[in-house]
Each structure stands twice: as structure tokens, then as C-alpha cells.
Amino acid sequence: MRSSVLEWVAKGDALLLPIFLMALWWVASTQGWLPQQILPSPAYVLDTGRDMMSTGELFYHAGVSLRRVVFGFAIGATLGMMVGVAMGLSNRVEDYVKPLFLAFAQIPTLGWIPLLMLLVGIEETLKIIIIAKGALVPVTLNTFSGIRNVPVKYLEVSRALRFSRWQTLRLVILPSAVPSIFTGVRYGLTHAWTSLVGVELLASSEGLGYLLVWGRQMFWLDTVIIAMIVIGVIGFGMDKGLNAAEVLIQRWKKKEEE
């Protein structure tokens, strides 16, 4: 009971800053501290959001962005796990691949856009590649770290039980590396989502990033704010969903060990 009360209080504290910012926004708009064209009122933004939902415009652009991030993230995360596992299991692969990979990782994701535009154009392929690159780096590095940090005693037990290499990987190494891999997946999804918005800002005619650019060009600040809110809500929801999945897997793992 006491812990529940403390959690409720902690959640209440977390809401103080958003509530304060909303109140400040409302006061600034009603008092006319800034022109309506620069800072539309919360009520006006809410009406715009309702209109965009009723026409389906907001759902359409959000759906386009989500479809892109799902495909790009799936490709980047899959490749990242494969490369991370390969480097983690083989010193030779690490020696050959890791230096080049770290150099590749140092180049910002959006820094690849000019080159890729020349190679693949500005259509969907460009967006998928940029999103995949955003997910690839954190997933690879965290998968590699998780495999290399498997406790030595676990490996000694597997040798004592005469596990094959495949059994050791499946029953010992990968389960032990799950927390680190999930951390990489969460970071990878965050990077993929921000990379998506970035590439849509530069080269897209649909999607939430496009809404930001279109609203800025037309000086529709209400549209810009709506797009920002939706981007933040979707990103927050995806991160919380992965966090819940990680908690469930850890509980299942603990029960299995017991």
C-alpha cells in the first residue's frame, strides 16, 4: 500500500512540469504575449487537431510514418543483431568488422542523406535506408556488449554439461544477453523514429515530418504543434511498449530459473 502511494505521488510530480507548461501556454495566448500567428491558443490547436482527425488527414500521415519506421526498424534491428552476434562470438570477426563499423557509426544518420539521394533518389528506399541505419548502430553495439558480458560461470557450466556450440548460444549466451539486447532495441527504435522524422523533413511529400514542413511553410503553427504532439506521443508509446515487453520477458526468465 505504501509503495502504491509513493508511485502515485511520483507520477503526480512527473505531471507538474507538463501542467505548468500548458498553463503558461494558455496564459501567454490569452494575454497576447505573442501574436496568434506565432503562438495559437490551446483551444485553437485542439480544434485543428479535431478537424485533422475528422478528415483523416492526421491518421493518414501518421500511418505513413509508422509504416516506414516498421519496415526500416525491422531491417536495421535484424542486421544489427546478426552483426552484433557475429562480433560477440568471434574475435576474428570483431577484429575485421568492429573498427570499420565504429567509423561508420560516427557519421550522423542524416549525414548520409546527400550521398544516398544521388544513389537511390528521394523515394521510399531512401527513407527505409536512413531509418535502418538509425536502428542498426545501437542494436549492434548493445548485442555485442551483451554477448561479451555473459558471466564466465555460465560458460563454465555449459562446458561441464558438454553443450554444443549451438546449445550454448541458444540456452546460455542469448538468454543472458537479453537485457542488453533489449536496451539496444529500445535505443534503436528511438533513433529510427527520430531519423524518420528527420528524413521526412528533408525529402517527403507525406508523413508527420512533412506535416511539420508544410505547416511551417504555410505559417500554420497549429498544424506544426499538432504534428509535434503526435510525434512525441507515438515515440513515447513505442518506448513504453518495449519497456513493458522487456519487463514481461525478465519475469518469465526469473520464473524459469526458479
Side-chain angles (χ1 to χ4, degrees):
M1 182 65 179
R2 181 181 177 83
S3 61
S4 300
V5 173
L6 291 175
E7 289 178 2
W8 181 83
V9 172
K11 290 179 180 178
D13 290 341
L15 292 175
L16 288 178
L17 181 58
I19 292 173
F20 171 75
L21 292 176
M22 286 294 296
L24 182 62
W25 177 15
W26 179 79
V27 171
S29 62
T30 55
Q31 296 298 317
W33 292 351
L34 291 172
Q36 181 78 8
Q37 292 82 2
I38 297 178
L39 185 67
S41 67
Y44 188 75
V45 172
L46 182 61
D47 289 339
T48 299
R50 287 173 178 169
D51 292 340
M52 294 177 71
M53 286 190 288
S54 64
T55 60
E57 179 184 8
L58 188 60
F59 295 115
Y60 170 75
H61 289 290
V64 169
S65 293
L66 284 171
R67 184 178 68 247
R68 288 169 175 166
V69 82
V70 166
F71 283 119
F73 174 74
I75 294 171
T78 301
L79 290 175
M81 288 184 188
M82 293 172 61
V83 175
V85 169
M87 291 195 302
L89 295 178
S90 172
N91 291 329
R92 178 172 295 181
V93 173
E94 180 187 0
D95 291 338
Y96 281 108
V97 175
K98 191 176 179 181
L100 181 61
F101 183 83
L102 291 178
F104 167 80
Q106 297 306 310
I107 303 174
T109 302
L110 298 183
W112 290 94
I113 291 180
L115 175 62
L116 290 173
M117 279 184 174
L118 297 175
L119 297 176
V120 300
I122 61 172
E123 301 302 325
E124 291 300 300
T125 302
L126 170 68
K127 300 167 185 64
I128 298 302
I129 292 175
I130 291 298
I131 295 166
K133 193 274 179 183
L136 175 68
V137 174
V139 173
T140 299
L141 295 179
N142 280 275
T143 301
F144 168 75
S145 176
I147 290 176
R148 282 300 174 92
N149 290 325
V150 173
V152 176
K153 60 182 180 181
Y154 291 179
L155 300 177
E156 291 175 349
V157 170
S158 69
R159 284 194 290 267
L161 295 175
R162 297 184 179 179
F163 282 177
S164 66
R165 189 175 180 83
W166 168 245
Q167 288 176 316
T168 302
L169 175 64
R170 182 172 61 89
L171 300 177
V172 179
I173 296 177
L174 289 181
S176 299
V178 163
S180 183
I181 293 174
F182 246 94
T183 299
V185 169
R186 288 182 65 184
Y187 285 142
L189 185 57
T190 300
H191 283 235
W193 185 241
T194 55
S195 298
L196 163 76
V197 175
V199 74
E200 285 182 344
L201 284 170
L202 298 173
S204 184
S205 59
E206 53 188 1
L208 293 172
Y210 164 75
L211 273 185
L212 289 173
V213 175
W214 179 248
R216 179 187 62 81
Q217 291 175 343
M218 302 301 295
F219 226 74
W220 295 340
L221 273 299
D222 51 333
T223 300
V224 173
I225 293 173
I226 288 294
M228 291 172 61
I229 291 172
V230 173
I231 290 169
V233 169
I234 292 177
F236 181 79
M238 290 191 297
D239 183 72
K240 286 297 182 182
L242 281 178
N243 184 42
E246 182 179 5
V247 170
L248 288 175
I249 289 177
Q250 291 302 313
R251 287 179 180 174
W252 169 79
K253 182 181 175 183
K254 289 180 180 178
K255 288 181 180 179
E256 193 176 61
E257 290 175 349
E258 293 174 356

